[in-house]
Amino acid sequence: MILTKAQYDEIAQCLVSVPPTRQSLRKLKQRFPSQSQATLLSIFSQEYQKHIKRTHAKHHTSEAIESYYQRYLNGVRKNGAAPVLLELANEVDYAPSLMARIILERFLQKHEEAPPSKSVINSMLRDPSQIPDGVLANQVYQCIVNDCCYGPLVDCIKHAIGHEHEVLLRDLLLEKNLSFLDEDQLRARGYDKTPDFILQVPVAVEGHIIHWIESKASFGDECSHHAYLHDQFWSYWNR
């Protein structure tokens, strides 16, 4: 269904005062029952990511990092089984997966001879069992599985949803007997940056001529439209 700008603004305004938790998502669904869970989740995620980008810098000062690390150490000394890192992230209003990254990097800097590489950090976040400290591994795991907007688990879900929507779009094009070339076929022909599908015979939809289709399995707010236009769509249109 089509969402009006007024409806979108109402949902976005409601999200300003709620924490990024699954409980908040359930409350959001109760308040806006006519909207699908997928739509609300996508808007929820995008609005939270905007908030994180605005506040990212303050969480990465040397003073903030050291403060978070000492609070983590003090917390696990008292009770290593408690969700210390997750509660700290919620308290300072920062994504749990990103807080886990900060603490993991600080831990490795202290215990390893060389600074940890980005690939090592990413590998440990994807598989916390690689972390040499069992307590920290458990704390990182709790952050990853309880983060509904960031982290390797969310990245896997987004990738799967994106692939699913591309398959659904392909099936729809085939069902309509439309002739098209997909991304792999276009790359084989030497194209670098390509949309998901180029229609070999353009079609008219609601008075507009459609030459190509790019599938984005997320809500199209003004900010994302602007970014995609700059990064992808204008180059497709020019060609």
Side-chain angles (χ1 to χ4, degrees):
M1 65 180 291
I2 295 175
L3 198 68
T4 67
K5 180 68 166 60
Q7 288 173 317
Y8 167 75
D9 288 341
E10 185 182 2
I11 295 171
Q13 186 59 39
C14 177
L15 290 172
V16 172
S17 58
V18 300
T21 63
R22 292 178 177 83
Q23 290 77 14
S24 296
L25 272 175
R26 284 193 283 271
K27 291 178 182 177
L28 201 64
K29 180 61 178 172
Q30 291 171 359
R31 178 163 177 181
F32 302 98
S34 62
Q35 303 301 331
S36 72
Q37 181 82 1
T39 296
L40 293 174
L41 176 58
S42 188
I43 296 173
F44 180 92
S45 178
Q46 287 173 339
E47 291 300 311
Y48 184 64
Q49 286 172 27
K50 291 176 192 175
H51 167 72
I52 291 297
K53 288 176 183 177
R54 288 193 300 267
T55 61
H56 175 81
K58 76 174 186 179
H59 297 290
H60 284 263
T61 65
S62 57
E63 294 82 4
I65 291 171
E66 194 58 33
S67 171
Y68 295 158
Y69 189 61
Q70 291 305 319
R71 290 182 63 181
Y72 158 73
L73 292 177
N74 292 335
V76 294
R77 283 193 198 104
K78 294 176 183 176
N79 184 358
V84 175
L85 213 48
L86 180 60
E87 290 176 354
L88 174 59
N90 290 335
E91 182 185 331
V92 300
D93 196 16
Y94 199 49
S97 292
L98 300 183
M99 178 61 75
R101 177 181 286 273
I102 288 175
I103 301 303
L104 178 58
E105 286 181 355
R106 179 66 181 81
F107 171 84
L108 293 175
Q109 286 170 1
K110 182 178 180 180
H111 293 84
E112 302 290 333
E113 294 181 0
S117 67
K118 187 175 180 179
S119 61
V120 168
I121 296 290
N122 289 339
S123 179
M124 288 183 176
L125 289 172
R126 285 193 297 268
D127 179 11
S129 66
Q130 297 178 24
I131 298 172
D133 182 89
V135 173
L136 179 56
N138 181 52
Q139 294 287 330
V140 169
Y141 174 77
Q142 290 175 13
C143 286
I144 298 298
V145 299
N146 284 285
D147 195 327
C148 53
C149 296
Y150 282 92
L153 185 59
V154 171
D155 290 342
C156 287
I157 293 170
K158 286 181 177 178
H159 179 76
I161 292 173
H163 180 69
E164 178 187 12
H165 279 70
E166 287 182 22
V167 171
L168 291 171
L169 178 55
R170 173 193 290 275
D171 290 345
L172 190 59
L173 293 172
L174 291 171
E175 180 186 317
K176 300 296 182 182
N177 292 318
L178 297 177
S179 180
F180 63 86
L181 295 173
D182 64 23
E183 214 168 6
D184 293 333
Q185 292 170 312
L186 291 166
R187 285 192 180 133
R189 295 189 178 197
Y191 289 92
D192 179 22
K193 210 171 187 179
T194 68
D196 291 323
F197 299 95
I198 286 181
L199 302 182
Q200 292 182 296
V201 180
V203 298
V205 178
E206 297 182 356
H208 300 280
I209 303 301
I210 307 301
H211 293 268
W212 51 267
I213 304 172
E214 175 74 18
S215 173
K216 296 296 181 189
S218 61
F219 183 80
D221 65 358
E222 288 181 305
C223 183
S224 62
H225 276 308
H226 179 77
Y228 286 134
L229 275 168
H230 179 269
D231 296 340
Q232 293 178 282
F233 299 160
W234 285 132
S235 65
Y236 300 162
W237 186 83
N238 289 333
R239 285 186 287 165

